[in-house]
């Protein structure tokens, strides 16, 4: 599997850092991840506690009789291709260029149709020679133009222009074979969503079924942070991670603040977390978090909670990648037998596995778009990467990165300039040297700041 929270959980953005400013209104975080992207979080009360930090003094263990998670052949089967999937937040899309994405193993291109003032989602292959349309451009007439031979397509997928076809010859551009496959798409909660089926019967599917609605995202009194980041692990592990509050004090120690118990049993302050499943059906489940209300899993890719996390998912990447391989080795149907999950803090994870096995056959239906073999584990530099997995695709982070780099260079040249002026004029030498030193130190500090926030840096839990 390929990893992005589209974390929206599309392309569900996991920010490399979030301001610690305390808000008087609840916050909402939207994380994008491919291939099945979209987790959502919101907080209903202005509490300083973060998502996944519920603490309870109640007993944290459940019955040792663990329910089996084998696939249920009698249950109604979940159709992975009959649901809306978040692709990208609108704020991360450039209307001037097409964008390549992969969701559910499908290669798609997202582009702005200025003639109809709407975002379009096409199959990312030109019908001519299958060149990726995402490598092309949007021409002056607002058409999507293929980079290979210049074929142009309108927002309906029809071919408007074939440069190589003589104007007085057969109208080959009007052939159905010259059309691009178009996916139904819509903008919902400031995110581009698509329906992963190009069959004409789904052309107006938005009139019958809409993406999941979350009231807080349309409420101006709420604050939301939206973006995307690609993470190199699969759907099941990602969803489990988002539903697992107990890992936060340990996997994210020193990265995000958590509520501390009055008496700490260890350095991190991990405590019992009381979670329970109230309802589970083909559409997902509703869970309960003591002190913090409900938690919803809206299948296949929305995880909704009533408190907001401040999280940097990058430091979990290595552990989650290895966990994914171990689960694949034992087989998804043997998950419950291989994993010992006696605490109530694991209730949501167990609930998700129940849903996955009962209604979805224990795995994502890739329809041939995924071979089932995991690629080699990338090096740590790639697993913990921030720049290529987020910064280059985020307009705000990319602008900040370029601006800070420019400021670093300015400070370096300023330091040399003040030294030169001091040596040449012999006036105010000490002042000039002092300013030069300040500029030099400032450039070094800025260099470290850029590295820490925008690039890979290793993380060792043993010494954190």
């Amino acid at each position: 599997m390929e990893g992005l929270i589209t974390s929206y959980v599309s392309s569900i953005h996991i920010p490399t850092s979030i301001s610690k400013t305390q808000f008087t209104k609840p916050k909402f975080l939207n994380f994008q991840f491919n291939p099945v992207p979209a987790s959502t979080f919101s907080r209903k009360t202005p509490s300083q506690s973060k998502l996944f930090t519920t603490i309870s003094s109640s007993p944290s263990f459940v019955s040792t009789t663990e329910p089996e998670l084998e696939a249920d052949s009698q249950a109604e089967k979940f159709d992975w291709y009959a649901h809306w999937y978040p692709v990208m937040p609108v704020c991360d899309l450039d209307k001037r260029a097409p964008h390549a994405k992969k969701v559910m193993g499908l290669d798609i291109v997202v582009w702005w149709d200025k003639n109809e003032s709407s975002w379009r989602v096409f199959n990312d292959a030109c019908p001519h020679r299958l060149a990726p349309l995402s490598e092309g451009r949007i021409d002056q007439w607002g058409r999507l133009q293929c980079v290979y031979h210049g074929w142009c397509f309108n927002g309906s997928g029809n071919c408007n222009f074939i440069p190589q076809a003589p104007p007085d010859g057969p109208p080959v551009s009007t052939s159905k074979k010259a059309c691009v496959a178009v996916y139904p798409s819509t903008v919902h909660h400031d995110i581009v969503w698509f329906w992963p089926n190009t069959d004409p019967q789904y052309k107006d599917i938005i009139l019958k079924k809409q993406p999941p609605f979350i009231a807080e995202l349309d409420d101006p009194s709420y604050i939301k942070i939206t973006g995307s980041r690609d993470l190199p692990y699969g759907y099941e592990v990602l969803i489990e991670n988002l539903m697992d509050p107990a890992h936060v004090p340990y996997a994210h120690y020193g990265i995000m603040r958590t509520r501390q118990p009055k008496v700490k049993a260890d350095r991190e302050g991990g405590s019992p977390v009381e979670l329970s499943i109230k309802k589970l059906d083909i559409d997902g489940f509703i869970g309960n978090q003591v002190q913090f209300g409900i938690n919803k899993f809206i299948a296949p890719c929305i995880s909704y909670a009533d408190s907001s996390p401040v999280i940097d998912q990058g430091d979990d990447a290595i552990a989650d990648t290895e966990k994914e391989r171990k689960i694949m080795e034992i087989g998804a149907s043997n998950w419950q037998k291989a994993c010992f999950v006696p605490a109530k803090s694991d209730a949501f994870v167990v609930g998700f596995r129940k849903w996955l096995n009962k209604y979805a056959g224990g795995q994502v239906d890739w329809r041939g778009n995924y071979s089932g073999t995991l690629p080699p584990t990338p090096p740590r530099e790639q697993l913990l990467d921030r720049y290529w997995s987020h910064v280059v695709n985020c307009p705000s982070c990319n602008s900040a990165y370029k601006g800070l780099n420019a400021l670093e260079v300015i400070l370096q040249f300023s330091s040399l300039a003040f030294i030169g002026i001091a040596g040449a004029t012999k006036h105010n030498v000490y002042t000039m040297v002092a300013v030069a030193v300040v500029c030099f130190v400032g450039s070094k500090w800025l260099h470290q700041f850029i590295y820490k926030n925008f690039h890979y840096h290793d993380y060792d839990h043993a010494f954190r």
Side-chain angles (χ1 to χ4, degrees):
M1 288 186 193
E2 301 177 19
L4 270 223
I5 31 32
T6 276
S7 273
Y8 146 47
V9 179
S10 143
S11 359
I12 314 172
H13 126 240
I14 290 191
T16 54
S17 64
I18 297 178
S19 171
K20 296 183 179 179
T21 303
Q22 297 303 313
F23 299 93
T24 57
K25 285 289 184 179
K27 295 184 293 182
F28 178 91
L29 282 181
N30 177 5
F31 295 145
Q32 172 186 0
F33 304 108
N34 291 320
V36 181
S39 71
T40 61
F41 306 85
S42 73
R43 179 173 51 178
K44 294 183 178 179
T45 57
S47 168
Q48 293 187 5
S49 59
K50 305 302 180 183
L51 182 67
F52 299 157
T53 60
T54 311
I55 297 176
S56 170
S57 59
S58 304
S60 61
F61 290 88
V62 297
S63 171
T64 55
T65 303
E66 300 172 357
E68 298 298 329
L69 296 182
E70 283 78 7
D72 187 347
S73 59
Q74 303 300 318
E76 182 182 0
K77 295 305 177 184
F78 183 81
D79 186 352
W80 293 87
Y81 296 84
H83 295 271
W84 290 96
Y85 288 85
V87 182
M88 281 292 290
V90 171
C91 64
D92 284 352
L93 292 171
D94 188 340
K95 292 183 178 180
R96 301 171 299 174
H99 304 266
K101 297 296 169 185
K102 184 185 287 289
V103 183
M104 289 296 293
L106 302 172
D107 291 308
I108 61 176
V109 55
V110 183
W111 65 285
W112 175 252
D113 178 8
K114 71 176 184 180
N115 295 312
E116 298 295 332
S117 298
S118 62
W119 289 101
R120 304 294 187 182
V121 179
F122 285 6
N123 178 40
D124 194 12
C126 179
H128 178 213
R129 298 275 293 280
L130 305 183
L133 292 172
S134 57
E135 295 292 329
R137 71 185 185 98
I138 300 173
D139 69 10
Q140 61 267 43
W141 293 283
R143 304 174 300 191
L144 179 62
Q145 184 183 59
C146 179
V147 69
Y148 202 7
H149 294 91
W151 287 33
C152 295
F153 306 90
N154 65 15
S156 299
N158 299 320
C159 184
N160 287 160
F161 179 56
I162 298 178
Q164 297 77 26
D168 55 350
V172 292
S173 63
T174 61
S175 171
K176 289 185 177 180
K177 291 185 177 180
C179 297
V180 180
V182 179
Y183 292 99
S185 60
T186 188
V187 173
H188 179 69
H189 292 325
D190 296 325
I191 297 165
V192 174
W193 300 65
F194 93 118
W195 186 272
N197 197 320
T198 60
D199 192 299
Q201 66 175 306
Y202 297 111
K203 180 180 179 181
D204 298 317
I205 189 63
I206 190 66
L207 301 177
K208 301 176 182 178
K209 185 175 181 178
Q210 298 183 349
F213 176 75
I214 299 175
E216 290 85 349
L217 288 178
D218 282 345
D219 186 341
S221 66
Y222 279 71
I223 295 172
K224 65 179 178 181
I225 300 173
T226 307
S228 64
R229 182 172 180 179
D230 291 328
L231 297 176
Y233 49 93
Y235 167 78
E236 301 100 314
V237 174
L238 172 62
I239 294 293
E240 285 185 4
N241 182 281
L242 297 173
M243 295 178 176
D244 176 20
H247 84 278
V248 174
Y250 298 92
H252 301 284
Y253 178 75
I255 298 175
M256 62 176 292
R257 292 176 296 170
T258 59
R259 178 178 295 183
Q260 295 296 310
K262 294 181 179 179
V263 178
K264 295 175 64 174
D266 55 18
R267 179 191 64 170
E268 295 79 6
S271 301
V273 182
E274 189 168 342
L275 310 176
S276 61
I277 299 295
K278 298 302 181 184
K279 176 185 178 182
L280 188 147
D281 57 27
I282 193 171
D283 297 319
F285 65 76
I286 297 177
N288 180 60
Q289 300 183 67
V290 172
Q291 299 179 3
F292 289 103
I294 63 170
N295 182 294
K296 293 181 181 179
F297 167 58
I298 305 174
C301 54
I302 300 290
S303 179
Y304 170 87
D306 61 2
S307 59
S308 299
V310 177
I311 224 171
D312 178 353
Q313 208 72 356
D315 296 316
D316 269 352
I318 293 178
D320 288 336
T321 300
E322 294 306 316
K323 178 173 66 175
E324 188 173 342
R325 292 185 176 279
K326 290 182 173 64
I327 292 176
M328 195 168 187
E329 291 173 0
I330 64 174
S333 61
N334 294 321
W335 180 90
Q336 187 77 16
K337 298 176 181 177
C339 298
F340 181 52
V341 284
K344 287 186 177 181
S345 62
D346 296 313
F348 293 167
V349 173
V350 173
F352 168 70
R353 283 288 170 178
K354 285 183 179 179
W355 174 86
L356 188 66
N357 283 272
K358 183 174 183 179
Y359 298 106
Q363 60 184 356
V364 177
D365 178 11
W366 295 103
R367 291 189 179 178
N369 294 314
Y370 167 61
S371 66
T373 303
L374 291 175
T377 300
R380 291 177 68 92
E381 290 81 358
Q382 183 175 342
L383 285 171
L384 301 180
D385 166 69
R386 293 183 175 186
Y387 181 78
W388 291 108
S389 67
H390 173 71
V391 175
V392 295
N393 296 314
C394 176
S396 57
C397 287
N398 200 11
S399 297
Y401 177 77
K402 292 178 179 178
L404 291 172
N405 274 287
L407 179 59
E408 179 188 357
V409 173
I410 291 173
L411 289 174
Q412 291 173 349
F413 276 104
S414 297
S415 177
L416 294 175
F418 281 114
I419 291 293
I421 293 173
T425 64
K426 306 298 183 179
H427 296 296
N428 299 320
V429 174
Y430 293 111
T431 300
M432 292 295 183
V433 171
V435 173
V437 171
V438 169
C439 290
F440 177 78
V441 172
S443 70
K444 291 299 181 182
W445 177 88
L446 193 57
H447 178 81
Q448 182 64 23
F449 178 85
I450 294 171
Y451 159 75
K452 181 179 180 180
N453 288 279
F454 296 98
H455 287 285
Y456 160 79
H457 53 89
D458 209 350
Y459 184 97
D460 191 331
H461 285 276
F463 299 102
R464 182 73 183 208

